[in-house]
Amino acid sequence: MKTIEVRHGQGSYPVHVGHGLLGLADVVQRHLQGRILTVTDDRVAGLYLERLTAQLSDQPEHQSLVLPNGEEHKTVASWQRIVDALVNLGAQRDATVLALGGGVIGDMAGFAAACYMRGIRVIQVPTTLLAQVDAAVGGKTGVNHSQGKNLIGAFHAPAAVIADTDTLSSLDRRDYCAGLAEVVKYGAIRDPEFFDWLEDHAEALNAREPEPLLEAVYQSVRNKAEVVAADERESGQRALLNFGHTFGHALETATAYRAYRHGEAVAIGMALASRLSELLGLSATGTAERMTRLLQRLDLPTSLPEPLDRDRLVDLMRLDKKNRDEQIRLILLDGIGQARILPCPSHDIRKVLQA
Ligand SMILES: NC(=O)c1ccc[n+]([C@@H]2O[C@H](COP(=O)([O-])OP(=O)(O)OC[C@H]3O[C@@H](n4cnc5c(N)ncnc54)[C@H](O)[C@@H]3O)[C@@H](O)[C@H]2O)c1
């Protein structure tokens, strides 16, 4: 097991990354206190709930809540069910929420923990690659509103994160590959050695070989931890984590969230942002080709679907919250491992969208 300490405004928390951690009583128990509510979804429950709750058998007061899986259930209504379960459990200020699942469960359970009695402990136990390398680390929690994703939420750092990489073996292939897009992102924006390493281990990662997978999760968490420590509330460095996301979000909206997993849309976005970086003369010729090649080897899409209204995509990109003064601001690459945020003229954006 490897542990990364994530520093933030109010202190720090450990992220444990390793094999079989759900079965290790000492790892799970060292972070527990008070009454315990485990929150999970109906898919993860069948796979891992028993393994985790086996470590709680000598805890006097613990209960589990199983919610329906899927982004469409990341709602205030589900959040309310978590709060109700905490009330029914008689949870006090010292209680612990265990969030066992993907980013949806982590965000909702984290937000319930942020609100209950103005904040109780949450331990994130992420079971998707996306949640292990991204959602569970950094303290962002929340739920969707019919008018927007993650419109309601709070910053609430976890007390600990337990990332058992063995759980990734049961993920759907598409969910797994979508998580790899976020892994590539860390290499692309700030860690050229990690990008090289990913190029050397693409096939091993595709095959979910346990040791390379653990290393990929560990290096991703280390990168995210460094960014979060430097910039907890997204004023500067943290914005770089949105590499590929402005294109990606616009594409997700344009395709009504039905065609792509988030990570797949981000992969296309990273390929487009790399091409744009080259077009603007920021990065050397060949940078976009390297990016595209790696994403393709990881079974990720790198070009826009047809047919697709490019003008609508640009209009949607204008809605991004990074924008100021009508300019579309994008994360672009000076090279592999070096990113910055820049305003971009829409005619240049159109050029890469047409290509
Ligand atoms: N808080 C943050 O900083 C942050 C960052 C990125 C994304 N997010 C959020 O994360 C969410 C997406 O997360 P996600 O991709 O993990 O989606 P998810 O939680 O919906 O999980 C995807 C699917 O995989 C299933 N699943 C989970 N673990 C499994 C396992 N080990 N084996 C088999 N199936 C498993 C789930 O039941 C679900 O059906 C979005 O709501 C997004 O907004 C949050």
Side-chain angles (χ1 to χ4, degrees):
M1 178 176 89
K2 293 180 168 191
T3 299
I4 301 140
E5 200 65 23
V6 182
R7 281 176 291 114
H8 60 98
Q10 285 80 46
S12 73
Y13 54 90
V15 180
H16 305 298
V17 181
H19 300 297
L21 301 189
L22 292 186
L24 297 181
D26 66 317
V27 175
V28 177
Q29 286 175 5
R30 75 175 80 156
H31 299 295
L32 300 175
Q33 61 173 46
R35 298 184 178 192
I36 299 154
L37 179 70
T38 304
V39 181
T40 191
D41 72 33
D42 52 6
R43 206 155 153 198
V44 176
L47 294 163
Y48 303 113
L49 182 59
E50 241 181 74
R51 204 177 297 177
L52 181 64
T53 52
Q55 318 316 324
L56 310 178
S57 52
D58 53 359
Q59 302 292 321
E61 305 278 354
H62 67 92
Q63 276 175 22
S64 302
L65 173 67
V66 180
L67 297 167
N69 82 87
E71 184 75 32
E72 67 273 27
H73 298 290
K74 190 175 159 183
T75 57
V76 172
S78 299
W79 170 87
Q80 174 83 55
R81 287 187 60 188
I82 304 172
V83 173
D84 290 348
L86 285 165
V87 173
N88 292 337
L89 178 68
Q92 302 296 313
R93 275 235 153 83
D94 63 351
T96 304
V97 173
L98 277 170
L100 173 70
V104 167
I105 287 296
D107 279 11
M108 288 197 299
F111 186 43
C115 299
Y116 189 74
M117 295 190 167
R118 298 197 186 86
I120 61 171
R121 291 158 65 86
V122 61
I123 295 170
Q124 296 285 351
V125 189
T127 60
T128 65
L129 184 54
L130 178 108
Q132 293 192 355
V133 302
D134 190 358
V137 181
K140 284 190 188 178
T141 70
V143 296
N144 299 331
H145 183 273
S146 59
Q147 295 305 306
K149 268 196 77 173
N150 299 323
L151 216 53
I152 310 156
F155 280 93
H156 187 59
V161 180
I162 301 170
D164 181 345
T165 53
D166 290 357
T167 61
L168 305 179
S169 61
S170 55
L171 269 185
D172 273 5
R173 173 120 199 105
R174 278 186 73 185
D175 283 319
Y176 176 73
C177 293
L180 286 176
E182 303 287 352
V183 171
V184 170
K185 180 187 75 180
Y186 294 114
I189 61 168
R190 68 192 307 278
D191 193 341
E193 289 83 22
F194 184 40
F195 196 94
D196 292 346
W197 182 92
L198 289 169
E199 290 180 315
D200 290 342
H201 294 84
E203 276 66 43
L205 288 172
N206 241 335
R208 304 191 210 190
E209 283 179 20
E211 292 317 315
L213 183 50
L214 193 152
E215 181 65 13
V217 173
Y218 172 76
Q219 293 298 342
S220 299
V221 170
R222 181 184 59 72
N223 272 292
K224 178 141 190 196
E226 286 172 13
V227 173
V228 170
D231 177 18
E232 200 187 354
R233 304 231 165 195
E234 199 156 346
S235 43
Q237 255 218 60
R238 197 160 177 169
L240 300 184
L241 296 174
N242 287 316
F243 178 55
H245 284 62
T246 309
F247 286 107
H249 284 148
L251 182 58
E252 283 183 284
T253 309
T255 52
Y257 289 92
R258 277 195 269 273
Y260 295 104
R261 301 280 201 278
H262 173 69
E264 293 170 336
V266 167
I268 295 173
M270 291 194 292
L272 292 170
S274 308
R275 275 178 232 150
L276 184 57
S277 306
E278 252 183 61
L279 182 87
L280 296 172
L282 295 173
S283 58
T285 310
T287 309
E289 173 59 29
R290 243 185 110 185
M291 172 70 69
T292 305
R293 184 81 201 100
L294 176 58
L295 293 170
Q296 287 173 349
R297 288 172 66 205
L298 296 172
D299 251 3
L300 284 159
T302 54
S303 52
L304 290 170
E306 298 293 350
L308 183 82
D309 181 348
R310 268 57 177 176
D311 289 330
R312 166 123 202 277
L313 212 57
V314 177
D315 288 343
L316 288 167
M317 289 173 75
R318 280 188 221 285
L319 301 176
D320 190 84
K321 51 181 187 294
K322 286 188 296 304
N323 296 338
R324 290 194 202 123
D325 313 326
E326 300 283 302
Q327 289 254 44
I328 299 178
R329 286 158 64 87
L330 289 175
I331 314 302
L332 296 171
L333 298 182
D334 290 316
I336 295 292
Q338 254 192 310
R340 61 173 141 152
I341 184 163
L342 276 181
C344 276
S346 25
H347 63 265
D348 285 327
I349 294 176
R350 275 203 183 82
K351 268 191 220 158
V352 291
L353 295 180
Q354 301 316 345

